[in-house]
Amino acid sequence: MAYTSASDLEPLADELYEASGDDDFRLAELIRQLPKETAVRLCTSDLTNALQTYIYAFEEEPEIDIYERLLLQPSSQLLRGIKIANVELSEIIFGFDKKSSLFFIAVWDGEKFLKAFSGPGSSREAVKYAKEMSA
């Protein structure tokens, strides 16, 4: 089935939530089994939260303060970016790049992204980079 709208994704999201038993790590595993385009549509919609998408994208649980912040944000906010931390004079942003279809964590200096990271360990790498830039 082609998932072309949010209403097409709703039954899929319901199935995934039921199959995962409200376990966010299990949900991320199930989302990884979907075609990438479908997974991305689901993980940039209001049908998942940013925490679930973080676990899907980076295969890890964030630190507790980030965990709580992402839990309250719909994944659709990733299209604009969600500030997850301040490090020195920089902000750490979790977002989605439409051109590359990648979820990223980037260091923002208030005017531009200095560097973006994707994949496991991105959050640690971004914090490390931000600290190095301010040293």
Side-chain angles (χ1 to χ4, degrees), residues 53-64:
T53 298
Y54 183 101
I55 294 169
Y56 161 77
F58 304 113
E59 301 177 28
E60 63 188 18
E61 186 174 351
E63 295 177 15
I64 190 68

Side-chain angles (χ1 to χ4, degrees), residues 24-135:
D24 289 331
F25 282 93
R26 178 69 182 131
L27 178 65
E29 288 174 14
L30 294 171
I31 293 172
R32 283 188 205 103
Q33 294 173 13
L34 299 172
K36 183 175 180 176
E37 182 179 318
T38 302
V40 164
R41 288 190 43 75
L42 187 61
C43 288
T44 55
S45 74
D46 289 332
L47 299 171
T48 56
N49 65 46
L51 171 63
Q52 294 161 332
T53 298
Y54 183 101
I55 294 169
Y56 161 77
F58 304 113
E59 301 177 28
E60 63 188 18
E61 186 174 351
E63 295 177 15
I64 190 68
D65 54 329
I66 296 171
Y67 182 104
E68 291 172 355
R69 185 174 301 198
L70 295 177
L71 183 63
L72 301 174
Q73 296 288 326
S75 293
S76 60
Q77 290 295 103
L78 294 170
L79 299 171
R80 288 190 286 218
I82 299 171
K83 181 173 88 168
I84 59 173
N86 288 316
V87 175
E88 307 297 335
L89 299 175
S90 302
E91 295 178 350
I92 307 299
I93 306 293
F94 175 29
F96 178 73
D97 180 19
K98 290 180 186 177
K99 289 181 185 175
S100 66
S101 286
L102 286 176
F103 293 96
F104 65 85
I105 296 181
V107 179
W108 174 260
D109 71 357
E111 295 181 19
K112 65 184 179 300
F113 286 120
L114 300 176
K115 190 164 184 177
F117 302 87
S118 61
S122 293
S123 184
R124 286 184 302 281
E125 290 298 316
V127 168
K128 179 181 169 187
Y129 182 83
K131 287 179 179 179
E132 289 171 358
M133 291 303 296
S134 65

